[in-house]
Structure formats: C-alpha cells, structure tokens
Amino acid sequence: MTDLDITSRHLGQGLSVHPLGVNLGAVGLPGSYTREEDDGPFLDGLRRAVELGANLLDAADSYGAGRAERMLGRLLREYPHRTFLTSSKVGRIRGSAPHAYADRHIHHQLQQTLENLYVEELDLYTLDSWDFGPQDRYLGPAIDQMHTLREVGAIKAIGMRGPYTPAEATPAERAACTERFLYLFRLIRPNVIWTRCNALTPVITLEGDDLFAFTARYGVGVILAAPVALGLRTALAPVGPEKVPGGLESLRARFGDTPGTLTRLALLSGIQRVGHCATVVGFTSEDQLEESFESLSGPVLTAVELRLLDDAYARVRAQTHPKPKERLAAGTGM
C-alpha cells in the first residue's frame, strides 16, 4: 500500500479541489454556539482545516440563516492570497417570496450570499431541494435563473442534490427517488452532484450504474457529505465482540478498534473510488478535523480491503433497512 494521492480533484467546470473539504452545516444547530459573537471556536476550526489543506468550503443560506456564510466570509478575508472553492446552496429559505424558487428569488438569495462571503463570484451554487412547487411550477424558472447566473459569470458551476433515501425507505420509495432524480438531472444538467453518503445510505442504481459510474459517464463531479454515519461512529470501539453491529466484525478483525478507525475507513472508501469525487466533513471541534485529515496521511485501502468494506457495509444496510414483509407485520407496509 502507498500513501493516498491528495492532489487536486477535478469536479468539472474548471473546479479543482483538495479531496477533503469542510461543510459548515453544524453552524446554528441546537447545541452549537448560539450567537455570532461566539463563533470563535468554529473560526478556529476553519483556520485549522485551511492549514491542513482544505480549499473546498461548503455552506448554505439556510445554515444558521446565513450565519455560516457570514462566518465563511470572515475566514476568506483572512486569506486574501489563497484560492478557495466557495460553495453554497439555495432552496430552503423562502423569505417573503411565495416559494424558495419563485420568480427571481434565487437571484436575490445569491446576491445576499455573495455579500455574506465578500466575493463577486460563487464557484458552486447548488439547488438544495427537489421541491419546485405544485406541479413543479417553479422548476423552469429556477433552471433558467441558474443557467443565466452561470452564463453571466455570477457562478461557475451548477449543483443539485443527489438521490438519497433514509435507511427505512421501502423499495418503492427508493424507486420513486431514483425516477425523480433522473427527471430533474436531465432538465437541470448540473455540473456537480452534492449528496449524503455513508455506510447506512441505501444504494441507488441510476441507469444501471452506481452514482460514481453514472456521474463519470456524464462528466459530472460529486461531493459527498456526512460520510461517517453517527450510528456507526463508535461501532468499532473495544466494547466486546457481542456489541459490534453485525457486518462490522470483519472490519474490526482486519483494521482493529483504535480511535478514528471508522472515520478513516468511511473517508477513504469515498475518496478512493474515483477521481471526480471530493468529500466534505462537518465539525464541532478541531479534534474532529484533525482526525479526518489524518485519515489521508496513512496508507490507502487495497482493492481487497475496499471489497471487504463494501461487503461489511452491505450487511449493515441489510440489517438496518426493514424488509417489506417486516413493515407489513408492523402495520407500515407499502
């Protein structure tokens, strides 16, 4: 095994990034710092991420009602000579508009985002919701606005949410998710897909391919978020084999149970797959960031280890996702 190549990843549309970036989704969540005057620890974490090589900085207008963007703007002003890929999202905040995608609301939200970040152009702007109003009333205008913003140079690349269903979704619900995604993908024609992905994420097939092969075929980049499922974060802890979730015994036997093992496996399993994929991690402390970036400094996973990881995660998903007959027995069938 060799060290992981952490040269820039190419997400398309001229976007080159370090394989591991930072997502500011934790800003404004319950339990985090409640006032912007208390943002010091978050800013310290961002500074540390930059020192460790991160240049993909991912926010949204809905993260803390713009607070994450304003914090990111403060950071950018501290590094005027550094090149970052700035990413934000739209589609969750309606404000006084009839819908988050109505009329020129996307344009208005982008102007506020640019002001929050103190930049004149946004690298990646992602449609953060698949809700385009009754009968997709605002879908056409939203697409027109996004493409116009890219044409005039206000944004470099268009992003959209990828296909994602919760672990408890039925096969019918997953099929509906796939159909909806493909319909929107063909109309929006995004440059990048932003999606949640971890060991508990149900596998979705797109035109016969997994997400990585599908996006490679269309020349679309991928940003993976939430790579470490919270329910598995301590699964490999040394608490006795009888308490290790089924499917993970093989991982514990192969890789051990040292702190950070699951984080390392989760991050490498995504980053090593393809060259057009980057991962963003959230944080509430600098220690979390250190753990994530340290995962890139050690040996990569071999092909055998990647297959072992895939098999283990598949067994975990098989136990986590309820089968149709089990849902019927519980009175929640299709």
Side-chain angles (χ1 to χ4, degrees):
M1 295 188 293
T2 61
D3 288 343
L4 179 65
D5 180 7
I6 57 172
T7 57
S8 294
R9 298 299 178 90
H10 300 283
L11 302 182
Q13 202 67 13
L15 305 181
S16 295
V17 297
H18 186 281
L20 193 57
V22 179
N23 172 257
L24 277 72
V27 175
L29 291 178
S32 66
Y33 306 97
T34 57
R35 302 178 304 166
E36 295 198 23
E37 292 82 359
D38 299 328
D39 285 345
F42 271 113
L43 279 168
D44 288 341
L46 286 173
R47 295 182 187 108
R48 183 57 183 148
V50 170
E51 292 171 3
L52 292 168
N55 62 350
L56 169 55
L57 306 175
D58 180 57
D61 60 6
S62 60
Y63 294 170
R67 179 178 161 205
E69 291 181 339
R70 292 189 291 274
M71 186 187 306
L72 184 52
R74 291 173 61 184
L75 178 84
L76 296 177
R77 293 197 299 276
E78 294 180 9
Y79 298 89
H81 303 299
R82 293 284 294 269
T83 299
F84 296 102
L85 190 154
T86 53
S87 168
S88 195
K89 310 177 192 69
V90 64
R92 302 285 183 181
I93 295 180
R94 180 171 67 99
S96 60
H99 189 275
Y101 291 137
D103 303 320
R104 288 176 55 82
H105 191 64
I106 292 176
H107 174 82
H108 295 154
Q109 289 298 107
L110 175 63
Q111 292 305 308
Q112 185 61 60
T113 289
L114 295 177
E115 182 176 333
N116 288 340
L117 297 177
Y118 288 88
V119 297
E120 296 182 355
E121 178 188 50
L122 190 65
D123 293 301
L124 175 63
Y125 205 32
T126 296
L127 294 170
D128 200 27
S129 169
W130 291 359
D131 175 11
F132 292 92
Q135 290 77 52
D136 284 337
R137 175 181 176 181
Y138 301 109
L139 177 57
I143 294 173
D144 290 342
Q145 285 189 73
M146 294 293 283
H147 282 263
T148 297
L149 290 171
R150 187 177 60 185
E151 290 168 4
V152 301
I155 63 175
K156 285 185 180 179
I158 297 171
M160 71 169 284
R161 278 271 181 172
Y164 171 80
T165 58
E168 65 273 13
T170 65
E173 289 167 338
R174 290 196 288 274
C177 174
T178 300
E179 181 179 359
R180 177 65 171 169
F181 169 77
L182 289 173
Y183 172 74
L184 294 175
F185 178 87
R186 292 162 185 153
L187 292 175
I188 295 170
R189 292 175 285 127
N191 305 112
V192 176
I193 298 299
W194 190 104
T195 189
R196 293 171 58 88
C197 183
N198 56 55
L200 298 183
T201 304
V203 175
I204 291 181
T205 301
L206 303 166
E207 297 178 347
D209 291 324
D210 63 18
L211 178 66
F212 299 111
F214 173 84
T215 49
R217 179 152 50 92
Y218 283 96
V220 172
V222 180
I223 295 178
L224 303 178
V228 183
L230 295 179
L232 294 178
R233 186 175 293 279
T234 60
L236 299 184
V239 293
E242 73 282 356
K243 294 187 178 181
V244 176
L248 294 185
E249 303 93 337
S250 58
L251 299 186
R252 184 177 179 183
R254 177 80 180 213
F255 300 102
D257 50 23
T258 58
T261 295
L262 185 63
T263 296
R264 173 176 172 269
L265 295 178
L267 292 178
L268 291 182
S269 67
I271 289 174
Q272 281 192 226
R273 298 294 178 184
V274 287
H276 64 284
C277 168
T279 294
V280 290
V281 293
F283 70 97
T284 55
S285 70
E286 290 186 54
D287 288 343
Q288 287 183 335
L289 285 173
E290 294 278 358
E291 179 180 270
S292 296
F293 280 86
E294 284 176 0
S295 299
L296 305 187
S297 62
V300 299
L301 301 176
T302 66
V304 171
E305 289 172 333
L306 282 171
R307 286 195 296 272
L308 177 67
L309 191 62
D310 286 342
D311 291 344
Y313 282 178
R315 290 195 294 274
V316 171
R317 287 193 294 269
Q319 297 174 49
T320 305
H321 304 165
K323 297 179 176 59
K325 65 179 182 181
E326 294 172 344
R327 293 174 66 89
L328 285 170
T332 57
M334 295 179 290

